[in-house]
Amino acid sequence: MKLGYRINRSERYVSPEIVNAYAEIPTSIISDGMERMFAIDSRIRPFHSKPSMAGHALTIHCPPGDNLVLQKAIDMAEPGDVLVLNMGGNTTQAPVGEIVVSNCIRRGAVGLVIDGAIRDSDILPTLEIPVFAKGVTHRGCYKDGPGEINVLIACGGVVVRPGDLVVGDSDGVVVVPHEEAEGLLPKLRNLVEKEVKVLEQIKNRTIDRSWVDKELQNKGFTI
């Protein structure tokens, strides 16, 4: 296939049970569990009051200012997909607005992540699925191409592959490599339990904070 004009089929690697499990875990816990290495740029922020989502990455690479292949990706989207769009960080033109998101909802997609801009920003938060983007502009895109679907992309400084697990909430978006998703889950559940216990200790005034001084001393501080 000609470089810049590739359209590949979608892949599913993560079971629905694993996806649902991740949907219940905060992105902060997931990020900590992956050593904070797979967090999408915080400038890509939610434009929805309830931005929780978890799903399979359908990756899209468009040149700045053009969204022709995004239109095809919408028709390829399957229930449970998150459309992840690399626009090179360009925020001068918006590939996504009310019509695009409404069509994604029709296809059963569960969210969009755009390294670029949106428009119709007053309407998108009222729709059924969360949208994460870098900015807002009224200027739309051309539909000339080129572009690619279901290829390796970068989005917000993170490599995203077709079928990777994408999780988002009010803190932002993290990408879980699909081959790590199941094996990482026990660690994340342990982190959730640990956080619950710490918060309970704080509430009960039984929290042990001696670790702070120990850590400072280990690093050479005089206390």
Side-chain angles (χ1 to χ4, degrees):
M1 285 182 282
K2 184 179 178 182
L3 193 64
Y5 294 85
R6 297 177 294 176
I7 296 179
N8 300 315
R9 65 185 181 88
S10 298
E11 298 287 353
R12 290 290 175 93
Y13 303 102
V14 184
S15 71
E17 293 76 18
I18 298 298
V19 174
N20 291 338
Y22 273 85
E24 301 297 322
I25 302 175
T27 56
S28 57
I29 296 290
I30 300 170
S31 181
D32 286 354
M34 296 189 295
E35 306 302 329
R36 307 170 185 93
M37 293 288 290
F38 296 86
I40 282 181
D41 189 340
S42 61
R43 288 174 292 180
I44 297 177
R45 63 190 190 279
F47 284 85
H48 204 280
S49 59
K50 294 183 178 179
S52 296
M53 68 176 186
H56 313 271
L58 194 169
T59 62
I60 305 147
H61 189 184
C62 291
D66 195 287
N67 72 350
L68 175 61
V69 296
L70 171 60
Q71 305 301 323
K72 177 59 178 176
I74 292 169
D75 293 338
M76 294 173 60
E78 300 177 5
D81 280 345
V82 175
L83 279 72
V84 185
L85 180 57
N86 176 15
M87 296 294 296
N90 173 57
T91 57
T92 64
Q93 288 170 277
V96 171
E98 182 181 9
I99 290 176
V100 165
V101 176
S102 297
N103 269 315
C104 289
I105 293 169
R106 176 180 60 85
R107 295 292 301 177
V110 296
L112 295 95
V113 181
I114 305 129
D115 196 349
I118 60 164
R119 65 180 181 178
D120 303 326
S121 59
D122 58 335
I123 298 172
L124 297 196
T126 71
L127 301 181
E128 297 172 17
I129 60 174
V131 177
F132 296 78
K134 203 169 191 177
V136 178
T137 180
H138 54 79
R139 297 178 67 209
C141 280
Y142 299 102
K143 293 174 175 58
D144 298 319
E148 300 188 321
I149 300 172
N150 282 323
V151 296
L152 185 76
I153 67 168
C155 182
V158 174
V159 172
V160 188
R161 300 167 302 169
D164 280 346
L165 180 58
V166 183
V167 186
D169 60 21
S170 56
D171 284 342
V173 181
V174 293
V175 178
V176 183
H178 59 75
E179 69 274 18
E180 304 291 343
E182 184 172 1
L184 182 64
L185 199 52
K187 178 182 179 180
L188 300 181
R189 286 171 169 157
N190 286 336
L191 289 174
V192 170
E193 290 177 5
K194 181 179 178 181
E195 188 166 284
V196 169
K197 289 179 181 178
V198 168
L199 290 170
E200 187 65 25
Q201 289 169 352
I202 292 171
K203 181 180 178 181
N204 295 335
R205 300 182 181 275
T206 59
I207 188 73
D208 180 4
R209 298 279 296 168
S210 61
W211 68 268
V212 177
D213 285 349
K214 291 178 182 177
E215 190 67 22
L216 290 170
Q217 289 170 346
N218 289 338
K219 295 184 182 299
F221 285 86
T222 301
I223 300 176

